[in-house]
Amino acid sequence: MIRLYDTMAREKRDFVPADPKRITMYVCGPTVYGRAHIGNARPAVVFDTLGRLIRHHFGQDSLVYARNVTDVDDKIIASAGQEAVDTNVITERYERFYLDDMGALGVSPPDIAPHATEEIGPMIAMIGELIASGHAYAAEGHVLFSVASDPGYGALSRRDREAMIAGARVEVAPYKRDPADFVLWKPSSANVIGWDSPWGRGRPGWHIECSAMIRAHLGETIDIHGGGLDLIFPHHENELAQSRCAHGGAPLANFWVHNGFVDMGAEKMSKSLGNVVLVNELLDAGHKGEVLRLALLSGHYRSPLPWTESLIAQSKATLDGLYRAAGEAEAGEIDAGVVEALSDDLNTPLAMARLGALSDAGAVKASAQLLGLLTMSADEWFRGGESGDVQARIDARAEAKARRDFAEADRIRAELTDEGVLLEDGPGGTTWRRA
Ligand SMILES: [Zn+2]
């Protein structure tokens, strides 16, 4: 049994999917106009891991995981304007980067990746239904959701009306009946991306995108809706209101699951890490994707995660240890204790502790793979990360020998031997292998 903390209920609940053969999970995906920050990677890694756990419990084909791509947005339009290119040049470039960066962290592509620009029809349809049922109104080329029409509004974020208005940083616009009302559709000027609609040429607001795509791809009520906790308000509150009002009160999701922030301020970064926080920069700096993945999973997903250099170093050391423990073993049985820890609201720190205590190499490998770790052979892991470093010391040893400093040459060989690297001198030079 999987238990998950449901933000709506504010408690852990048994996860009982409506249809265990078709479990539906939707996670709000990237707005594609820039490179992904390590904080953007946390939901991708967390929900990838939850997806692996669900497939482990219910079967490989049990889950339909959708993560959208927001490819129409004011920030995209601004970015395209700066480069004097069409918005799709920006969105295609950064979607590719996003998939590359997340792929490096071992995040599998979702089963469905709906793009907002390809789903305008379903959005216009849902907006029309909301107008027809009195939950939305058109004004000056805009369509707005009427918050006052939905008595259940605020249930997810549990904010009072004043806090909601302040939190949404809403503009008081003359076309709004109420400052809390939010945009479903807005007008596009002639040189800005837009689509024809019953309310004039325009483009959708962000929130309606998710509501319409969830219905189109997964249904009216899904099992899990996920995202970062910064999305609870206003984004998820607004998605929920739109969908519930369009569907006669049916809830949008049976579980609302939110991950905490990556906290960049806990420790001053040293020069070597600098202020590197983009995933691709961390990878370029030589940190392996699996190390970053483990770093992101090392704290419980609902807690803030202090992002520090020591966290990255500790994650690398942990993986080095696990790769040594697994050796070249084939994946065996997944350890029940690891599964139990993950099944308790995705308790990855406890799962890692149990993983570290396993003695059977095959169980280490299989259990780590459930977390998306230990995906390569030990040989590949150590050579991939250390080959440059080992080669540099082999070169230094050769230089020491050339100047007849045999003490230094022997010291380097002994140091490498201590690390499990065996040198073999041959006619073609020195080769090395792991003991
Ligand atoms: Zn969303």
Side-chain angles (χ1 to χ4, degrees), residues 26-29 68 206-207 210-211 214 225 231 235-236 239:
Y26 183 93
V27 174
C28 298
N68 66 309
W206 176 33
H207 317 302
C210 292
S211 286
I214 288 170
H225 194 318
L231 297 184
H235 183 54
H236 286 169
E239 278 187 35

Side-chain angles (χ1 to χ4, degrees), residues 42 260-264 295-300 303-307 311:
R42 193 175 191 193
F261 295 121
V262 175
D263 180 359
M264 309 307 295
L296 288 169
L297 292 175
S298 61
H300 188 266
S303 302
L305 179 70
W307 188 255
L311 173 69

Side-chain angles (χ1 to χ4, degrees), residues 177-207:
R177 289 182 191 163
D178 184 306
D181 292 351
F182 57 89
V183 166
L184 302 177
W185 188 264
K186 58 182 159 188
S188 287
S189 57
N191 58 342
V192 168
I193 186 169
W195 292 263
D196 290 330
S197 83
W199 317 287
R201 188 173 172 282
R203 59 190 190 276
W206 176 33
H207 317 302

Side-chain angles (χ1 to χ4, degrees), residues 71-330:
D71 58 355
V72 54
D73 175 273
D74 289 352
K75 292 187 279 299
I76 295 170
I77 293 168
S79 183
Q82 274 170 11
E83 291 194 30
V85 294
D86 286 342
T87 53
N88 68 316
V89 174
I90 301 293
T91 58
E92 283 166 22
R93 179 198 304 157
Y94 288 107
E95 182 181 355
R96 174 45 45 208
F97 284 149
Y98 181 81
L99 292 174
D100 288 349
D101 292 346
M102 295 310 117
L105 303 186
V107 174
S108 303
D111 301 295
I112 306 173
H115 288 62
T117 56
E118 293 165 13
E119 314 253 347
I120 301 296
M123 293 183 217
I124 289 175
M126 188 178 266
I127 295 169
E129 290 163 40
L130 289 168
I131 293 175
S133 58
H135 292 292
Y137 57 94
E140 298 180 30
H142 294 74
V143 181
L144 294 130
F145 184 89
S146 170
V147 167
S149 78
D150 176 17
Y153 191 84
L156 180 64
S157 57
R158 297 193 186 178
R159 291 180 180 218
D160 65 26
R161 187 185 146 78
E162 278 60 44
M164 286 193 288
I165 293 172
R169 293 185 292 272
V170 291
E171 299 170 56
V172 179
Y175 48 80
K176 281 188 183 179
R177 289 182 191 163
D178 184 306
D181 292 351
F182 57 89
V183 166
L184 302 177
W185 188 264
K186 58 182 159 188
S188 287
S189 57
N191 58 342
V192 168
I193 186 169
W195 292 263
D196 290 330
S197 83
W199 317 287
R201 188 173 172 282
R203 59 190 190 276
W206 176 33
H207 317 302
I208 194 71
E209 163 186 343
C210 292
S211 286
M213 298 199 293
I214 288 170
R215 176 167 76 179
H217 293 277
L218 302 178
E220 292 190 356
T221 301
I222 59 175
D223 290 304
I224 297 171
H225 194 318
L229 61 79
D230 52 324
L231 297 184
I232 295 173
F233 187 83
H235 183 54
H236 286 169
E237 193 75 75
N238 291 354
E239 278 187 35
L240 173 59
Q242 295 161 162
S243 294
R244 195 180 44 215
C245 290
H247 300 148
L252 175 55
N254 287 328
F255 283 80
W256 289 88
V257 180
H258 293 101
N259 66 274
F261 295 121
V262 175
D263 180 359
M264 309 307 295
E267 178 186 293
K268 198 162 164 52
M269 297 277 174
S270 77
K271 190 87 177 165
S272 65
L273 199 58
N275 286 320
V276 171
V277 290
L278 296 181
V279 172
N280 67 303
E281 289 179 348
L282 288 162
L283 293 167
D284 289 348
H287 301 298
K288 288 182 194 156
E290 266 189 41
V291 169
L292 302 178
R293 182 184 180 95
L294 175 56
L296 288 169
L297 292 175
S298 61
H300 188 266
Y301 76 92
R302 285 194 284 121
S303 302
L305 179 70
W307 188 255
T308 63
E309 220 171 331
S310 55
L311 173 69
I312 299 175
Q314 181 56 49
S315 300
K316 181 183 179 298
T318 300
L319 280 167
D320 285 347
L322 288 174
Y323 270 106
R324 270 188 213 104
E328 299 302 333
E330 296 287 322

